[in-house]
Amino acid sequence: MTKTAVEPVEPLRELLKEARPRGPVTLHNVARLANVSAVTVSRALNEPGRVNKKTVQRVLEAVAQTGYVPNLLAGGLRSARSKLVAAIVPSISGGVFAETIQHLTGALARKGYQLLLGQSGFVEGGEDALLDAIIGRRPHGIVLTGIMHSAEGRRRLIASGIPIVETWDLTPTPVDMLVGFSHERLGDEVCRFLVRKGYRRIALISGDDMRARRRHEGFCRAAISENIAMPEVELVASPTNHQKGRLALARVLSRCPDIEAVFCGADALAMGVLTEAQVRGISVPSQLAVVGHGDLNFAATLHPSLTTVHIDYERMANEAAQFIFDRAEGRAIKNRVLDIGFSIVERESA
Amino acid sequence: MTKTAVEPVEPLRELLKEARPRGPVTLHNVARLANVSAVTVSRALNEPGRVNKKTVQRVLEAVAQTGYVPNLLAGGLRSARSKLVAAIVPSISGGVFAETIQHLTGALARKGYQLLLGQSGFVEGGEDALLDAIIGRRPHGIVLTGIMHSAEGRRRLIASGIPIVETWDLTPTPVDMLVGFSHERLGDEVCRFLVRKGYRRIALISGDDMRARRRHEGFCRAAISENIAMPEVELVASPTNHQKGRLALARVLSRCPDIEAVFCGADALAMGVLTEAQVRGISVPSQLAVVGHGDLNFAATLHPSLTTVHIDYERMANEAAQFIFDRAEGRAIKNRVLDIGFSIVERESA
DNA sequence: ATGAAAGCGCTAACAG
DNA sequence: CTGTTAGCGCTTTCAT
């Protein structure tokens, strides 16, 4: 190209400079390139319906050309809508919570929200430590695994004004909203189920968390009303796994060789129990019945297949997300507590 | 208290109003209450060393009194340090990736970083769809599971200038940094291991992802050099699970009843294979050897215990985090590619 | 050791 | 349909 220098030398230079700035590309660079104002770019991107089609087109081209990616920190700051939802789980590994998180992430993504993940690690006060870091990001909602027990934590959550959904449990006094099921009732029903099947000497193997304790309470109450012996309880440290299930059954058998059935607080434990029984030549269910909790994907295809308690994780996650969406979009919430229940899935092991 | 109205009526009112404002508590409210400027509060909280001890004390009291929680969106915007790290996994449920995420979350939390989680869902282009949402939050780093293959995705990641760590794989051309292991070499070594053990008719059962394909390539190459037959390959849809392992073995056996060993691309598959073998009365390892991949917690305590490939997930997560910390703190990075290797853990099943 | 001023990049509110 | 102005809450910079 020959140097036939026509007029707009400076403007062009400036335009190019704006189009490919040193630093990160901003709304203004895009606006300059598309020959509109910054607000128009913002609107073209966020509510295209309210902007002229041709303008939107021009903006989109400028975006493509510059590689502009909106700064969500800035947008979130100004609009007080971070498009972020936080979740706190005890631990992501170990099966059950991963399932919830997976569905939650999916439900959120479908609405353009992202998930901020925190792990409280089964420690007392683990949740509290995460709270400031989470509240500080001004998420649209916080999903807790289990109910928040620390008074200080509850206070801070309430003070934050952020929609809170507690899950995996039921309580008459939720911090805000809740979607879960009754562990007490679950323990109760499993007990009656086993009694109905003819088992009377039953052991309980669980992680040492609060929800397990409540299942045990329910179980014991039912045991009394059904007139059978109190169950033999064996607690293992959370998080639970296959090995702990094996060891737990070994300990239970050494104390009570005549046990007829085991109710495990997690399918991973139940799988361990199944393995230990197999190794010892104890036939399931004829010599020992086993019931799990969680209905993880392997439960149906183990051999013998595992009788277990099914919880609809996907629904729990979706309802939790829905609670938050409803709040974010200003819809009234009729019922802040949702009991999604559970069901005992009868298979070969009991 | 009697109403002996002394002078500073207005100031006091204002002070109280500032201390408990209608809206969210800001730095300014705290500053007013502590009788310092906003900057001082910021410094007292972020670099207490550079502020007078007594002032820090006063600020801390004001913070406690107001329940102030710093707005990280605002801070991140101004300082361009979001204290956020994003991770993209195909799916959080199903075992292996959950483990990595758990350790990553832990490593990040120890340094005051939070994890933003995205799920790409095993779909082609699943990662690309998440990219803008992630880049828009201006994270300090992005951890990818597997290497980024889409050219468009690579371009955008590079353009973002954000430190990227690819994991779970090895490539001579990483987007930025990488910590992983060679799936090809892994396939190769498992093949030689099995040959050394005397197995010659071997099947491969894996998810249908790229990393599995590379393990298979390595395996086949070794098969040629070891002069054994090409393996029988059975692919299942990712994510893998117990049931798919059972079905896959059934299909393999129907095609090749004389198979001697199976190498599974995931421990969950291997567990399914073990179950199917047990149901069919095929004894492991005497009639059929099984090798897994992942060394999940149940591998060591299954019966028979599972010979599998161990990968140090915790190290992978920690090194990935370290890469990002190094960048964030401006340290030079000598080597952008880290091979953490793997090891074959020999147990009963092979 | 502390403060005043400026501005990160965006969107709400109000024009026109 | 589009633009102007202002300011979200914080931290940087420069001053004192």
Side-chain angles (χ1 to χ4, degrees):
Chain A
M1 223 198 291
T2 40
K3 207 167 98 193
T4 330
V6 218
E7 335 108 281
V9 170
E10 275 309 288
L12 183 63
R13 258 256 207 81
E14 199 154 82
L15 211 78
L16 286 169
K17 187 174 147 198
E18 295 283 344
R20 294 196 174 283
R22 320 144 238 284
V25 185
T26 74
L27 208 53
H28 285 91
N29 302 308
V30 177
R32 281 286 212 297
L33 193 63
N35 247 308
V36 290
S37 73
V39 237
T40 303
V41 175
S42 173
R43 282 196 279 249
L45 262 26
N46 297 319
E47 345 168 58
R50 288 180 48 183
V51 177
N52 186 313
K53 283 231 165 194
K54 306 211 81 166
T55 312
V56 173
Q57 192 53 39
R58 222 153 8 104
V59 168
L60 257 31
E61 275 162 24
V63 167
Q65 198 175 328
T66 53
Y68 170 67
V69 179
N71 185 327
L72 268 37
L73 294 176
L77 174 60
R78 177 64 244 225
S79 67
R81 277 183 266 106
S82 61
K83 281 280 185 181
L84 206 58
V85 168
I88 301 182
V89 295
S91 164
I92 189 74
S93 83
V96 277
F97 300 129
E99 196 102 349
T100 316
I101 291 300
Q102 184 195 358
H103 292 300
L104 188 61
T105 310
L108 295 175
R110 263 173 261 135
K111 283 263 197 176
Y113 286 72
Q114 257 76 54
L115 184 85
L116 189 70
L117 183 69
Q119 282 182 142
S120 58
F122 288 107
V123 219
E124 201 76 23
E127 292 169 321
D128 285 39
L130 290 168
L131 247 37
D132 276 2
I134 285 177
I135 294 173
R137 302 219 184 259
R138 305 296 188 258
H140 270 185
I142 301 178
V143 177
L144 298 174
T145 304
I147 65 180
M148 171 61 77
H149 294 281
S150 119
E152 170 66 7
R154 292 174 67 94
R155 210 188 50 65
R156 275 155 70 197
L157 284 174
I158 291 167
S160 76
I162 299 168
I164 310 292
V165 185
E166 289 162 288
T167 63
W168 273 94
D169 210 336
L170 227 46
T171 164
T173 56
V175 172
D176 184 4
M177 297 172 289
L178 183 150
V179 38
F181 55 94
S182 165
H183 290 263
E184 243 172 295
R185 189 134 41 82
L186 195 154
D188 181 292
E189 290 200 16
V190 169
C191 178
R192 293 179 200 280
F193 168 83
L194 287 171
V195 170
R196 210 158 53 236
K197 290 270 156 191
Y199 305 106
R200 321 213 96 231
R201 304 196 50 80
I202 304 170
L204 265 31
I205 297 179
S206 276
D208 57 354
D209 60 74
M210 256 163 301
R211 288 180 290 280
R213 226 164 294 156
R214 303 253 298 287
R215 285 193 299 271
H216 292 185
E217 276 171 35
F219 194 103
C220 291
R221 209 160 309 161
I224 292 170
S225 102
E226 293 284 345
N227 229 336
I228 63 166
M230 279 298 103
E232 181 66 26
V233 176
E234 176 69 28
L235 292 181
V236 305
S238 293
T240 57
N241 63 30
H242 183 259
Q243 178 178 30
K244 291 175 186 171
R246 285 193 65 169
L247 294 172
L249 180 62
R251 277 195 296 266
V252 165
L253 288 175
S254 74
R255 289 203 305 268
C256 318
D258 59 344
I259 217 80
E260 298 165 353
V262 186
F263 171 35
C264 300
D267 282 351
L269 288 176
M271 191 170 88
V273 165
L274 250 30
T275 300
E276 187 64 23
Q278 183 201 337
V279 169
R280 289 170 177 251
I282 299 171
S283 134
V284 175
S286 61
Q287 291 177 269
L288 183 73
V290 179
V291 176
H293 173 71
D295 199 15
L296 295 193
N297 68 61
F298 57 78
T301 44
L302 283 175
H303 180 76
S305 60
L306 186 65
T307 292
T308 187
V309 180
H310 176 87
I311 289 125
D312 192 341
Y313 302 116
E314 184 164 3
R315 181 170 172 216
M316 190 152 63
N318 285 338
E319 300 280 8
Q322 195 56 51
F323 268 142
I324 289 169
F325 297 152
D326 284 349
R327 273 289 178 76
E329 290 157 24
R331 279 191 290 279
I333 290 169
K334 52 261 146 191
N335 210 329
R336 290 156 166 254
V337 174
L338 182 63
D339 183 351
I340 61 163
F342 56 85
S343 56
I344 298 176
V345 183
E346 194 176 339
R347 300 208 183 92
E348 295 163 1
S349 73
Chain B
M1 222 198 293
T2 40
K3 206 167 98 193
T4 330
V6 219
E7 335 109 283
V9 169
E10 274 310 286
L12 184 62
R13 258 256 207 83
E14 200 154 81
L15 211 77
L16 286 169
K17 187 174 146 198
E18 295 283 344
R20 294 198 174 281
R22 320 147 239 281
V25 185
T26 73
L27 208 52
H28 285 91
N29 302 307
V30 177
R32 282 287 211 298
L33 194 63
N35 246 308
V36 290
S37 73
V39 236
T40 303
V41 175
S42 173
R43 282 196 280 248
L45 262 26
N46 298 318
E47 347 168 58
R50 288 180 48 183
V51 176
N52 187 314
K53 284 232 166 193
K54 306 211 82 168
T55 312
V56 173
Q57 192 52 40
R58 223 155 6 106
V59 168
L60 257 30
E61 275 161 24
V63 167
Q65 198 175 325
T66 53
Y68 170 66
V69 179
N71 185 326
L72 268 37
L73 293 176
L77 173 60
R78 177 64 243 226
S79 67
R81 275 182 266 106
S82 61
K83 282 280 185 181
L84 206 58
V85 169
I88 301 183
V89 295
S91 165
I92 190 74
S93 83
V96 278
F97 300 128
E99 196 102 350
T100 316
I101 292 300
Q102 184 193 0
H103 293 300
L104 187 60
T105 309
L108 295 175
R110 263 171 260 135
K111 282 264 196 174
Y113 286 73
Q114 257 75 54
L115 184 85
L116 189 71
L117 183 69
Q119 282 183 144
S120 58
F122 288 106
V123 219
E124 202 74 23
E127 292 170 321
D128 285 39
L130 291 168
L131 247 37
D132 276 2
I134 285 176
I135 294 172
R137 302 221 183 257
R138 306 294 189 260
H140 270 185
I142 301 178
V143 178
L144 298 173
T145 305
I147 64 179
M148 171 59 79
H149 294 279
S150 117
E152 170 65 7
R154 292 173 67 94
R155 210 187 50 66
R156 275 156 70 198
L157 284 174
I158 292 167
S160 76
I162 298 168
I164 311 293
V165 185
E166 289 162 289
T167 63
W168 273 93
D169 209 338
L170 228 46
T171 164
T173 56
V175 172
D176 184 3
M177 298 173 289
L178 184 150
V179 38
F181 55 94
S182 166
H183 291 262
E184 243 173 295
R185 189 135 41 82
L186 195 154
D188 180 293
E189 289 200 17
V190 169
C191 178
R192 293 179 199 282
F193 168 82
L194 287 170
V195 170
R196 209 159 53 237
K197 290 270 158 193
Y199 305 105
R200 319 214 97 230
R201 304 196 50 80
I202 304 170
L204 265 32
I205 297 178
S206 275
D208 57 353
D209 60 73
M210 256 163 301
R211 288 180 289 281
R213 227 164 293 156
R214 303 253 297 288
R215 286 194 297 273
H216 293 185
E217 276 171 34
F219 194 103
C220 291
R221 208 161 310 161
I224 292 170
S225 104
E226 292 284 345
N227 229 336
I228 64 166
M230 280 298 102
E232 181 66 27
V233 175
E234 176 70 28
L235 293 181
V236 305
S238 293
T240 57
N241 63 30
H242 183 259
Q243 177 178 30
K244 291 175 187 172
R246 284 192 66 167
L247 294 172
L249 179 62
R251 277 195 295 267
V252 165
L253 289 175
S254 73
R255 289 204 304 269
C256 317
D258 58 346
I259 217 80
E260 299 165 354
V262 186
F263 170 36
C264 299
D267 282 350
L269 288 175
M271 192 170 89
V273 165
L274 250 30
T275 299
E276 187 64 23
Q278 183 201 336
V279 169
R280 289 169 177 252
I282 298 171
S283 133
V284 174
S286 61
Q287 292 175 270
L288 182 74
V290 179
V291 176
H293 173 69
D295 199 16
L296 295 193
N297 67 63
F298 57 78
T301 44
L302 283 176
H303 180 75
S305 61
L306 185 65
T307 293
T308 187
V309 180
H310 177 86
I311 289 125
D312 191 342
Y313 302 115
E314 184 164 2
R315 181 169 170 217
M316 191 152 62
N318 285 338
E319 300 280 8
Q322 195 56 51
F323 268 141
I324 289 168
F325 297 152
D326 284 350
R327 273 290 179 75
E329 290 157 25
R331 279 191 289 279
I333 289 169
K334 51 263 147 190
N335 211 329
R336 291 157 164 251
V337 175
L338 182 62
D339 183 351
I340 61 162
F342 56 86
S343 56
I344 298 176
V345 183
E346 195 175 338
R347 300 206 182 93
E348 294 163 0
S349 73

